[in-house]
Amino acid sequence: MDSAAHSSLAGRVSPLVIRGRTYAGHAELRPRGELVHGCADVLDETLTALPSDVRRVELHMADVVFMDTAGLQFLELLDHYRRHRHIPVAATHWSGQPRRILELAGLDTTDPLHMTPPPSTAPTPEPVSPARSVVALERAEQLHMLRTEVRQLRQAIVSRPVIDQARGILMAAHACTPDDAWHILRETSQLSNTKLHTVAAALTAGAGTDGPPPPEAVRTALRTAVARRLH
């Protein structure tokens, strides 16, 4: 059982693919790639194709390497399926940048679907207490941080072709994973106070034959970022 979707963004190298198996009423799904535009359609296709006798669905999310706001739609669709079918659904083993997004959203990084009430249990109203007011303020702050992060991610998506090239250069040069390369790029940008797209363009240009080396500030920040991430 395989479902896949490809983004219209040029240069995208990780289309979402969902592979899985079913046995004894249990469906195990393993998404691989990026939760971006179109990922909810892939999930919907996969869930629709599940046998009618499935009584439990588990998603292993370790192979998801990138997530923007479409990932939240992905989770909403999972929760809708869980409630509609009245069966347990879990999405576990998050890591890297997608896990960071869940943290900023205030969701359970072990399984974000645990943050919503189970299908058979209606939430019971509780009186508002000062403690809960503090929690509400913290959640609002987390939401603000998430929106800031999402804006940054959207800007990165617009520049994905050159950023993907820079990630590939870092992966080849340091034998690192796509997630490591992404974090190195972002930290280099922050340490050198240089826009992410500018850092990626400098690395890409410098990798060409007789290409100009990146500015000294970028080179210094890159060395520091690599040392922190890989050593």
Side-chain angles (χ1 to χ4, degrees), residues 153-177:
L153 292 174
R154 284 175 174 166
Q155 292 172 358
I157 289 171
V158 172
S159 305
R160 287 301 293 279
V162 68
I163 290 175
D164 283 338
Q165 292 176 39
R167 287 171 66 186
I169 291 169
L170 291 174
M171 289 164 61
H174 301 287
C176 64
T177 67

Side-chain angles (χ1 to χ4, degrees), residues 24-174:
H26 183 188
E28 290 185 350
L29 306 178
R30 193 168 187 121
R32 176 186 295 272
E34 302 178 351
L35 298 185
V36 293
H37 178 71
C39 67
D41 295 334
V42 179
L43 177 63
D44 185 48
E45 178 184 342
T46 302
L47 296 176
T48 301
L50 292 177
S52 59
D53 63 347
V54 165
R55 292 294 175 264
R56 181 178 181 83
V57 179
E58 294 185 4
L59 289 85
H60 192 293
M61 307 298 295
D63 294 330
V64 172
V65 298
F66 182 85
M67 169 177 167
D68 63 11
T69 50
L72 302 181
Q73 298 172 2
F74 183 95
L75 291 174
E76 289 175 0
L77 179 58
L78 270 180
D79 188 55
H80 174 77
Y81 179 84
R82 177 179 70 103
R83 292 174 179 275
H84 179 70
R85 291 289 306 277
H86 298 282
I87 62 175
V89 178
T92 60
H93 297 87
W94 297 83
S95 63
Q97 185 267 355
R99 181 185 177 91
R100 174 61 175 158
I101 291 296
L102 296 181
E103 291 174 348
L104 290 172
L107 297 175
D108 186 346
T109 55
T110 303
D111 179 7
L113 296 181
H114 282 169
M115 295 297 288
T116 53
S120 59
T121 304
T124 303
E126 298 178 1
V128 176
S129 66
R132 291 190 63 187
S133 297
V134 171
V135 171
L137 289 174
E138 290 178 348
R139 184 61 56 83
E141 181 179 355
Q142 290 172 337
L143 181 58
H144 174 72
M145 293 173 62
L146 174 62
R147 286 172 175 167
T148 300
E149 181 96 356
V150 166
R151 283 196 299 269
Q152 294 172 349
L153 292 174
R154 284 175 174 166
Q155 292 172 358
I157 289 171
V158 172
S159 305
R160 287 301 293 279
V162 68
I163 290 175
D164 283 338
Q165 292 176 39
R167 287 171 66 186
I169 291 169
L170 291 174
M171 289 164 61
H174 301 287

Side-chain angles (χ1 to χ4, degrees), residues 195-211:
K195 290 184 178 180
L196 182 64
H197 179 272
T198 303
V199 170
L203 293 180
T204 302
T209 303
D210 298 326

